[in-house]
Amino acid sequence: MIFTYFDGTARISDAGLFSPVNTFECGQCFRWLPDENGGYTGVAFGKAANVRVEDGYLRIKCDPSDFETVWRAYFDLDRDYEVLNSVFSIDDFTQRAVSFGNGMRILRQEPFETLISFIFSQCNNISRIRSIIKSLCMLSGEKFEAMGKTFFTFPTALKINSLSERELQSLRAGYRAPYVREAANAVLTGSINFNALRALGTEEARKEIMRLPGVGKKVADCFLLFGLQKYDAFPADVWIKKVFANYPGITPSRFGEFAGIAQQYFFYYARENKLESPKGEIISDACEKKEKHNT
DNA sequence: GAACAGGTGAAGT
DNA sequence: ACTTCACCTGTT
């Protein structure tokens, strides 16, 4: 890794593939927002940064000490995505998906934030997920200043656990709110311990996290992949099910130990291109077609 | 208004 | 084991 730090910005010359838009819009995170220069600004691990690519350099505007301690790992800068992409490109469809999402990086996010965020994500759309998380951070995160702007950290389990019913209700998270409270409580009491989960295999860790109410296989796999870096976790949502239905050759097992990363290319491609399911095929039994009769 | 949006879990076959 | 359904809320 070759980089210089000058004028408040880490400039990396050999960052390899890095596309801010594909990284931050591929659906793995909810707290990074675009700026006017094709860059993105966000918060992780209690720190703020702005990221952009210019003249072939990756430029991360941040506190000098944070590049090595936070952002280098967070942006997964030590992984060669070119190698990964060529390993993934086993057929025409995969090539299209990888090419579409070229420069996407799977962020090494914080376990707690990832868990809570994906609990919010169930049967919800992206803009609303973002809005709920933003409200949560403004309500109970810590306010701090960086780069001349105001930011909020993601709240701790303690802060979330101590929210009143009224405060929780103000997030407009609906039926997901009690799930979030339970998750925070489990972390607080030690019933769920992220370091212990890290030491487990993917299967065992999934089983453990699924003990939480509101955490089924899909949310669990997002947590494992984005929050615990269990790269073989393969979240299968409605879009991935459309991929499976259209391209029977695509199965998690074909992509090895980093199948979860391949999954993110598929998800992003399918969602952005509004991949349809084959006619007559039933893709999901949830949130799709249901007659709701309110009493 | 009804349908839909990155699921889950309980209850019914 | 597989299918159906309710669940909050905001948007189209």
Side-chain angles (χ1 to χ4, degrees):
Chain A
M1 175 96 4
I2 301 166
F3 73 96
T4 59
Y5 191 87
F6 178 71
D7 200 21
T9 301
R11 195 185 70 170
I12 302 99
S13 59
D14 58 345
L17 300 177
F18 196 112
S19 159
V21 59
N22 289 344
T23 296
F24 299 116
E25 304 290 354
C26 76
Q28 64 178 322
C29 58
F30 305 98
R31 291 238 288 152
W32 288 83
L33 299 174
D35 61 26
E36 318 74 47
N37 312 313
Y40 278 77
T41 303
V43 175
F45 294 90
K47 312 287 187 175
N50 173 272
V51 183
R52 71 184 201 279
V53 173
E54 200 177 292
D55 307 327
Y57 292 99
L58 171 63
R59 297 163 190 269
I60 303 178
K61 190 174 176 185
C62 61
D63 277 357
S65 60
D66 293 342
F67 174 70
E68 283 283 11
T69 58
V70 176
W71 305 117
R72 180 172 180 164
Y74 183 77
F75 291 119
D76 205 19
L77 295 185
D78 291 295
R79 189 183 312 283
D80 189 337
Y81 277 72
E82 301 231 28
V83 169
L84 216 45
N85 290 354
S86 60
V87 168
F88 288 157
S89 297
I90 56 172
D91 61 17
D92 185 56
F93 173 71
T94 310
Q95 252 167 40
R96 285 210 307 280
V98 165
S99 159
F100 179 82
N102 196 38
M104 174 198 78
R105 287 186 173 253
I106 296 298
L107 304 172
R108 294 168 159 265
Q109 303 185 60
E110 295 169 84
F112 184 63
E113 173 171 343
T114 309
L115 176 63
I116 300 300
S117 297
F118 282 92
I119 288 175
F120 283 135
S121 81
Q122 64 180 258
C123 210
N124 224 337
N125 60 56
I126 302 242
S127 75
R128 220 164 77 85
I129 300 165
R130 285 195 171 126
S131 144
I132 292 169
I133 293 170
K134 184 182 176 190
S135 302
L136 177 66
C137 294
M138 290 182 70
L139 178 67
S140 62
E142 296 216 18
K143 189 191 250 194
F144 68 100
E145 307 287 325
M147 302 181 286
K149 290 181 187 158
T150 300
F151 297 93
F152 292 88
T153 64
F154 194 87
T156 61
L158 179 63
K159 290 287 269 185
I160 291 179
N161 196 58
S162 60
L163 290 175
S164 68
E165 282 304 320
R166 175 182 295 275
E167 287 172 316
L168 209 51
Q169 161 72 22
S170 75
L171 302 177
R172 318 303 292 154
Y175 63 87
R176 306 161 193 85
Y179 300 156
V180 165
R181 185 189 287 290
E182 280 299 311
N185 189 56
V187 169
L188 208 57
T189 60
S191 160
I192 289 291
N193 180 302
F194 296 132
N195 287 329
L197 292 186
R198 275 188 202 284
L200 297 178
T202 304
E203 300 276 324
E204 292 78 14
R206 180 189 296 120
K207 212 173 108 190
E208 277 301 297
I209 204 67
M210 282 177 67
R211 289 192 293 116
L212 294 172
V215 178
K217 185 161 190 304
K218 195 287 184 171
V219 170
D221 281 341
C222 287
F223 163 75
L224 293 169
L225 177 60
F226 304 129
L228 281 191
Q229 292 70 240
K230 301 282 188 195
Y231 292 108
D232 55 331
F234 198 104
D237 76 315
V238 53
W239 291 106
I240 289 295
K241 284 170 185 166
K242 287 177 187 180
V243 171
F244 288 158
N246 280 286
Y247 305 95
I250 303 295
T251 61
S253 60
R254 292 194 65 181
F255 299 95
E257 60 177 322
F258 297 107
I261 300 181
Q263 174 277 152
Q264 202 59 24
Y265 286 117
F266 296 140
F267 169 79
Y268 186 43
Y269 180 87
R271 181 165 62 76
E272 295 294 313
N273 295 288
K274 305 204 183 309
L275 187 68
E276 294 295 335
S277 45
K279 243 192 157 47
E281 189 98 11
I282 294 183
I283 297 307
S284 171
D285 52 4
C287 242
E288 286 266 310
K289 45 173 160 187
K290 60 184 175 214
E291 302 287 313
K292 193 157 112 181
H293 301 291
N294 291 335
T295 51

